Amino acid sequence: LGDRSQLQSSLLNTAINAGHAMPEGGTLTFATREVTLGQDYCHRSSFSLHPGPYVCIDIRDTGVGIPQEHLKRIFEPFFTTREQNKGTGLGLAAVYGTVQQHHGEITVASEENQGTVFTFKFPLYEGPQPIEPAAPEKPITGTGGILIIDDEPVIRIAVRFMLEDLGYTVFEAENGRVGIDCYQQQADSIDLVLLDMLMPVMEGAECFRKLKQLNPMVRVVMASGFTRDADLEGLQHEGLHGFIRKPYTLVNLSQMVHQALQQPGAPREG
């Protein structure tokens, strides 16, 4: 029992990484099974597990494998073995965060030129069938200018389309430094900043504080797929207007933007 979009994104991210490991082609296999974890196993795990039944999902590829010296670092934010400008390495960090939030575990086993297997374990839900909403919620439309600061081009494009469909004017920046420059130039037209938490060049927290120095009344919503509640508490005390977890839907985004724009912020001129 969990967040469908986050779980789907985690499996997809892992599969995409497997595809990159098989540049000449290969076999990608998803397998599911049930296991029962005992007290000893849960105690040894680096994750917060409780004894009981779990569902396992194995994602196996026949690719180039992962060198042993990299295995312990693959879930770190910004760790990547790809060429420069070929990705930031945030995919598996976001997967790790999602697994933690669902009280599960993810492990990896690999040998060079022998392929890799990622194993997810999630506590098996044995309660009553969750009741689905009677009708899907409708997105909330609005007006105003929104600055997207995110280092992933695909995310910026997707969010731009969503926000424009909702009625907003959109500005974009590929990292925190560019975002600061853009805000300085377009401050009178920007009502809200949608800021990625984890970025190279300048992380979201630093960018947020610089924006607050430029304008103490700036409205900022932080977005991330890999963060802890403790990381957000300080920013919320400093005036963060909201947080939205990646991946999010059009409805989620519209609700968060609408809520943030209802809060006090910088007065618009003209």
Side-chain angles (χ1 to χ4, degrees):
L1 180 65
D3 187 300
R4 181 177 303 185
S5 63
Q6 288 188 36
L7 293 171
Q8 177 178 314
S9 177
S10 295
L11 298 178
L12 182 60
N13 268 324
T14 306
I16 289 172
N17 274 276
H20 290 153
M22 300 185 290
E24 305 300 324
T27 302
L28 177 63
T29 305
F30 283 73
T32 59
R33 53 196 167 93
E34 286 186 29
V35 298
T36 299
L37 302 185
Q39 184 68 47
D40 289 345
Y41 183 96
C42 295
H43 180 73
R44 292 194 305 269
S45 175
S46 60
F47 290 79
S48 297
L49 303 179
H50 297 284
Y54 282 71
V55 59
C56 287
I57 305 170
D58 295 318
I59 302 180
R60 185 183 304 274
D61 67 61
T62 57
V64 297
I66 303 171
Q68 293 300 307
E69 63 269 23
H70 294 162
L71 278 178
K72 293 183 178 181
R73 300 191 60 200
I74 59 173
F75 296 115
E76 295 178 8
F78 305 121
F79 177 74
T80 180
T81 57
R82 300 182 199 170
E83 299 175 14
Q84 189 174 4
N85 299 324
K86 296 297 184 181
T88 62
L90 287 180
L92 289 178
V95 170
Y96 187 95
T98 294
V99 171
Q100 282 187 316
Q101 292 157 29
H102 286 79
H103 310 292
E105 178 188 66
I106 182 170
T107 55
V108 56
S110 183
E111 293 184 18
E112 292 190 65
N113 301 315
Q114 298 296 317
T116 301
V117 56
F118 284 86
T119 299
F120 295 77
K121 294 185 180 75
F122 295 108
L124 189 62
Y125 179 71
E126 298 179 307
Q129 182 68 22
I131 300 175
E132 294 289 340
E137 296 181 78
K138 293 183 179 180
I140 304 172
T141 58
T143 58
I146 300 179
L147 170 61
I148 306 167
I149 306 178
D150 198 300
D151 62 299
E152 292 287 351
V154 173
I155 292 178
R156 292 200 306 273
I157 292 170
V159 177
R160 167 185 278 276
F161 285 152
M162 286 195 284
L163 290 173
E164 288 179 341
D165 283 345
L166 292 170
Y168 299 101
T169 302
V170 179
F171 305 86
E172 293 182 44
E174 64 266 29
N175 60 57
R177 290 179 185 171
V178 176
I180 295 296
D181 291 340
C182 181
Y183 186 80
Q184 286 180 305
Q185 297 168 11
Q186 304 287 344
D188 292 343
S189 302
I190 295 172
D191 298 281
L192 177 70
V193 179
L194 184 60
L195 177 62
D196 188 28
M197 183 80 170
L198 296 174
M199 295 182 291
V201 182
M202 181 187 292
E203 287 198 350
E206 182 183 357
C207 182
F208 167 72
R209 293 185 175 105
K210 289 185 179 296
L211 288 168
K212 295 289 285 186
Q213 290 174 3
L214 291 173
N215 177 10
M217 299 293 286
V218 63
R219 296 185 184 94
V220 179
V221 169
M222 197 75 76
S224 178
F226 181 78
T227 191
R228 302 168 301 175
D229 292 340
D231 297 327
L232 296 171
E233 289 178 0
L235 298 177
Q236 290 169 339
H237 287 306
E238 295 175 47
L240 187 67
H241 279 66
F243 172 76
I244 186 167
R245 191 171 298 283
K246 296 180 179 179
Y248 42 77
T249 65
L250 176 65
V251 171
N252 296 149
L253 179 63
S254 73
Q255 291 172 339
M256 177 54 68
V257 169
H258 175 77
Q259 177 183 334
L261 289 175
Q262 302 309 304
Q263 301 179 44
R268 290 287 298 274
E269 296 182 2

